[in-house]
Amino acid sequence: MLQRRQLLLFAGVAAGAAVGGAAWMYYGPPRSNLVAGGPFRHYPFDPVAVENFQQKLFIPVGDGPFGVLDVAGPLKIRATPARFAFLPGRESPFLLYLTEQAGKAYQNPILRIESGMRFTASLDNGLAEATIIHWHGLHVPAAMDGHPASTIAPGGRYDYDFKVSNRGGTYWYHTHAHELTAEQAYHGLASFFLVDDDDQRRVNKALDLQLGVTDLPLVIQDKQFDAQGKLLYKPDAHEAMMGWLGDTLLANLTPNAVHTVTPRTYRLRLLNGSNARIYRLAFVKGKTALNFTVIGTDGGLIERPETVGEAFLAPGERLDVLFDAGQAQPGEDIFLKSLAFDPMENEGSSAGMPGMGGMGMGRMMASMSSSRLPLGLEFNILKLSVTAGERIVAKLPTTLSQVKPIPTGGAAQRKIELSMGQMRFLINGYTFRMDEIAFDVKRSAVEIWNISNPTLGMPHPMHIHGFSFQVLERIGSPPQVAATARFGQGRTVSDLGWKDTVLVWPGESVRIAIDFTHDFSGDQTYVFHCHNLEHEDAGMMINFRVQA
Ligand code: C2O
Ligand code: CU
Ligand code: CU
């Protein structure tokens, strides 16, 4: 499965790669094949037009770009400017994490480590601006977490050393540079952090899945490109407020990707690595949505496989799914799509502002995006081309893992109110200030947070550092969410298991339980923020302190 050899040629993988710049070249079909053919939508790489899906999906294997690095000792990671050709023959400035292990060079490696192991790494900042790495979803001491206060200047170094105490699961790492997270993550500073354990191995063994072959990490992102094929990131005041939306869909950095599959079950570890776009995911053949089975969410496996037809995935969230490609015949195509939805569904006319024709504030703001792919439009993400092969019908395990409910008897209740003021979104009235602590939590306390979003708002994916939580209940969900709430207390499949990010829709309240037990010494200050990265950078973030 050396597909990446056809796709990407990494230049400069010499011994010094971990300290030098990098250049990636793209080899794909000629560009003339890739021009959109829809009657109204005429831009190259328009993901609405199915005929655009012709570029081989980049599959992470071995070393090199996006390679899988089985962590076997301390790593030296360097953040550095690089170039990457997303579009045939057109290079764009890009940012990369470079590292080496056992004489092999990696760029933005998929780090893989066993639960319970120690992770040691240094980060050298080779960028022209400040940066820091955050390990999204990992339970680490505050000093290891990549809090924006840990941001290092160009030329600086930060040393990480922590125990990976999380259970097996699909986590990720990305820049958390103070007020520069959105731009740096958009330009490349992000990848997977896979934690392995017995439960994970049991599932992969039972289903005969192999990482990089039938178990595929898949990061979904939307970007804009200029006429030269360079990444475009230029939010105006409205876009800075709503979040930056792309109009080209990338799966593992491949625009309009196609992947050939045989009639068997695949595991897709879906990560929404977009700055602001929410996806309503479905596998569609013709006009029919096919079933898929969710086996995991943010913090690893859920208790049992849950078969569904669609699921929302917000920025920062992960969804681990099994998909049986044998639901189509050889020669047929299946599209992983984002279905149409109304991001402001609950706003309706009742929330309309005077003089705005019944249009709510969020709806009005959303309609002002410069993206040719507005939030909620239906489009394709990845084409799966089914080819002949042995029909393998997987027998799903009935139980996957144990998810013990957090004991909530006597838990403290905390109100978390999202709001809007002065062209920015706030949490409990706060805009982020580095040295301001919004509230203290007692060590080992269990708290229930009731996160409420006003109807005059927009959906916010809310994310906590340092801890995982369980979603207890959704109240007041918009009809399109309520329609899939099959899991009790208004919960959808994306709410099951251990979570670190939860989408809160306009008009909705989401109750989550968090257990603040940890084994670090001293006070620990973490952030809680919106994972719409433009919102985060604009200060939709608070510090909370877990007291020693
Ligand atoms: Cu993935 Cu504070 O973020
Ligand atoms: Cu995080
Ligand atoms: Cu937000």
Side-chain angles (χ1 to χ4, degrees), residues 198-454:
D198 289 339
D199 285 346
Q200 293 285 338
R201 274 186 291 272
R202 199 175 305 121
V203 170
N204 273 17
K205 190 150 180 265
L207 297 164
D208 187 28
L209 297 169
Q210 202 188 326
L211 187 68
V213 183
T214 46
D215 170 1
L216 305 175
L218 199 77
V219 54
I220 303 170
Q221 294 167 310
D222 60 334
K223 313 264 185 214
Q224 289 193 32
F225 294 94
D226 68 11
Q228 280 73 50
K230 295 195 169 73
L231 280 173
L232 192 73
Y233 186 76
K234 253 208 245 141
D236 63 18
H238 288 288
E239 289 159 336
M241 184 175 176
M242 301 306 287
W244 177 253
L245 296 172
D247 52 23
T248 300
L249 256 293
L250 308 181
N252 291 352
L253 301 182
T254 317
N256 298 350
V258 56
H259 186 57
T260 301
V261 293
T262 59
R264 59 156 294 149
T265 293
Y266 289 80
R267 175 178 182 174
L268 301 173
R269 301 175 188 242
L270 305 171
L271 159 64
N272 183 347
S274 312
N275 280 31
R277 185 176 294 277
I278 297 160
Y279 301 89
R280 183 184 185 181
L281 298 173
F283 292 86
V284 178
K285 183 182 80 168
K287 296 233 176 294
T288 318
L290 305 175
N291 283 339
F292 60 98
T293 302
V294 174
I295 58 168
T297 54
D298 299 345
L301 298 171
I302 58 178
E303 292 202 281
R304 351 165 233 292
E306 299 288 357
T307 297
V308 297
E310 61 167 86
F312 281 103
L313 192 68
E317 282 188 308
R318 284 85 71 207
L319 207 58
D320 213 322
V321 310
L322 297 176
F323 177 68
D324 178 11
Q327 294 179 82
Q329 298 300 315
E332 290 185 319
D333 293 330
I334 299 163
F335 282 89
L336 172 61
K337 273 179 166 304
S338 183
L339 302 177
F341 65 95
D342 180 354
M344 315 296 165
E345 190 177 46
N346 261 1
E347 280 208 307
S349 51
S350 60
M353 308 273 283
M356 282 166 48
M359 202 187 250
M361 188 62 159
R363 192 183 297 280
M364 184 202 69
M365 297 293 295
S367 68
M368 290 178 165
S369 167
S370 75
S371 169
R372 289 172 287 194
L373 201 66
L375 190 60
L377 192 79
E378 178 172 326
F379 56 82
N380 305 293
I381 299 166
L382 169 68
K383 177 162 105 174
L384 297 171
S385 270
V386 183
T387 179
E390 192 193 344
R391 173 79 181 110
I392 301 172
V393 183
K395 195 164 163 338
L396 298 183
T398 47
T399 57
L400 297 165
S401 73
Q402 228 205 336
V403 177
K404 279 208 192 110
I406 295 175
T408 51
Q413 310 270 337
R414 192 179 293 280
K415 273 193 188 164
I416 305 280
E417 286 174 347
L418 313 181
S419 63
M420 188 170 56
Q422 311 269 328
M423 290 290 281
R424 49 169 82 189
F425 292 101
L426 311 170
I427 303 174
N428 282 357
Y430 288 93
T431 282
F432 185 71
R433 286 227 206 103
M434 197 68 89
D435 49 8
E436 186 172 44
I437 309 278
F439 51 81
D440 282 292
V441 170
K442 288 206 186 69
R443 181 180 190 142
S444 304
V446 171
E447 295 203 349
I448 294 174
W449 291 10
N450 186 6
I451 311 170
S452 63
N453 194 359

Side-chain angles (χ1 to χ4, degrees), residues 134-137 145 174 176 463-466 500-501 529 531:
H134 164 59
W135 315 96
H136 181 127
D145 180 58
H174 59 80
H176 222 286
H463 169 57
I464 192 168
H465 283 213
D500 55 58
T501 307
H529 64 85
H531 220 287

